Amino acid sequence: MSVESPPVVSTADGAMTAEAPPRRRNRPLAVVLGLALLAVLAAVPLFVDPFGTNTVSRMLVFALFAMSLDLLVGLTGLPSLGHAAWFGIGAYTAGLVAIHWTAEGVVTVLAAAVAGAVAAAATGWLAVRSGGVFFLMLTLAIGELVHQLAQSLSSVTGGSNGLFGIPSVRIAGTPLTLAGYVYWFVLAVVVLGALCLWLVAASPFGSVLRGIRDNEARMRSLGYSPFRYKYLAFAIAGGFAGLAGGLFAGLVRIVNPSDTGFTTSALLLLAVVLGGAGSLWGPALGAAVVVLVRDTFGPTLDGHGPLLLGLVFVVAVYLLPRGVAGLAGLRRGAPGRRRPREGSS
């Protein structure tokens, strides 16, 4: 895959110099803003009541969940309607491990991540061979199959009653009974997961995924195997979705079949579109908005939370067609090569 050279501009003395890419120029500012946001998030339990702290914890979990889907939608160009299947598998795995083996937080979330990745890899070899509407319908079918299994395997999953009685998360044998301690555990795992996803997106592997998204035929002609890259991306996304599911099980301590169903997948896709696909941080912000509207404003609207979410989505589509993350692109100007100044060659 060819690498585009940076724009060339002329200096005051007529010399030609390469202009730094916008992302590189804005990287120090992004680091400062990221550290400031992390400091604010870390201080949440010190200033917010337990209910509000649990709400922010759910926002963080679904932010990681949305970023895992963005790896497929934004980077690879594979919109999925069954991504909640890996989230639910991770949640059930973490719950069963906590009930029957150990409630150590590190063990449960790692088991959830592995379960999500393995389940995604087991089905991805078929799903990623298709594309467009066929991929969308295949992932929807896979998600519904997992949803039906969660309902029918009542001896394992608890059926429609859900898997309840999940013990509190433990760290080094100490149960985390206070909302603040659970929040800090969730925050630490989400930050590490988000960092790993960012490293994947910023790596040469991520660049190949973007190339496949933009022009799969060209990438194939350059010697790349789109199937292998899409398959690996599908498995990685499933692993991080399972990780988010493991955190969710430890946070709410109950898992329902609805956590694996179409509604959860649709809400997640809404979060990605709302935040801006391909940016990672945009879908995370979109997920926070979805959870805030659904869990905080929804109960006060006599069950009309979905209606409010629909209105938010319609407004966002008309006013922010590229999502919230698109505002950053508008501030920097349209992407692409700048036109040379008059008199420059």
Side-chain angles (χ1 to χ4, degrees):
M1 183 173 57
S2 60
V3 179
E4 185 175 291
S5 58
V8 178
V9 297
S10 59
T11 60
D13 58 358
M16 306 301 294
T17 181
E19 183 182 13
R23 290 184 180 179
R24 185 169 299 175
R25 293 200 311 267
N26 295 333
R27 187 170 297 172
L29 177 61
V31 172
V32 172
L33 291 177
L35 292 176
L37 176 61
L38 182 59
V40 171
L41 290 174
V44 164
L46 304 179
F47 302 98
V48 181
D49 60 88
F51 176 80
T53 299
N54 284 328
T55 301
V56 181
S57 296
R58 289 195 296 273
M59 290 180 181
L60 291 173
V61 170
F62 277 87
L64 179 61
F65 190 17
M67 286 188 285
S68 70
L69 178 60
D70 192 39
L71 184 65
L72 290 179
V73 178
L75 267 72
T76 319
L78 296 174
S80 172
L81 282 176
H83 203 62
W86 325 133
F87 178 83
I89 288 174
Y92 276 113
T93 300
L96 291 171
V97 168
I99 292 174
H100 299 291
W101 184 25
T102 177
E104 281 291 329
V106 176
V107 176
T108 56
V109 296
L110 286 179
V114 171
V118 170
T123 56
W125 67 271
L126 175 63
V128 299
R129 293 180 185 275
S130 60
V133 177
F134 298 102
F135 177 83
L136 203 65
M137 299 311 295
L138 269 176
T139 55
L140 174 61
I142 292 171
E144 288 303 300
L145 176 62
V146 173
H147 176 67
Q148 292 300 321
L149 287 175
Q151 283 189 319
S152 59
L153 297 177
S154 56
S155 61
V156 178
T157 64
S160 58
N161 293 324
L163 181 67
F164 54 88
I166 300 174
S168 301
V169 175
R170 293 176 177 268
I171 298 296
T174 303
L176 305 181
T177 55
L178 297 180
Y181 292 148
V182 177
Y183 171 85
W184 282 321
F185 170 71
V186 170
L187 177 62
V189 177
V190 168
V191 169
L192 288 176
L195 178 60
C196 291
L197 282 170
W198 179 81
L199 291 174
V200 170
S203 67
F205 175 77
S207 298
V208 175
L209 293 181
R210 293 184 185 91
I212 293 173
R213 175 199 64 193
D214 296 336
N215 195 327
E216 182 173 338
R218 183 183 181 188
M219 296 300 294
R220 185 180 292 107
S221 67
L222 291 174
Y224 293 96
S225 173
F227 168 76
R228 294 179 183 177
Y229 282 91
K230 290 192 293 185
Y231 177 65
L232 187 55
F234 194 85
I236 293 173
F240 281 100
L243 178 64
L247 286 175
F248 182 75
L251 177 64
V252 302
R253 299 173 61 184
I254 184 172
V255 186
N256 292 306
S258 60
D259 297 325
T260 68
F262 169 75
T263 302
T264 303
S265 295
L267 284 176
L268 195 67
L269 194 57
L270 168 63
V272 173
V273 174
L274 181 63
S279 60
L280 289 184
W281 67 267
L285 183 60
V289 172
V290 168
V291 173
L292 184 65
V293 172
R294 184 192 65 178
D295 296 351
T296 302
F297 299 147
T300 64
L301 297 175
D302 297 328
H304 293 91
L307 176 61
L308 180 58
L309 269 178
L311 292 175
V312 169
F313 179 68
V314 171
V315 172
V317 167
Y318 277 96
L319 298 182
L320 301 171
R322 297 174 58 190
V324 177
L327 293 175
L330 292 176
R331 181 178 60 83
R332 291 194 303 264
R337 189 185 298 273
R338 294 185 180 180
R339 290 189 300 176
R341 298 178 182 176
E342 293 184 4
S344 62
S345 56

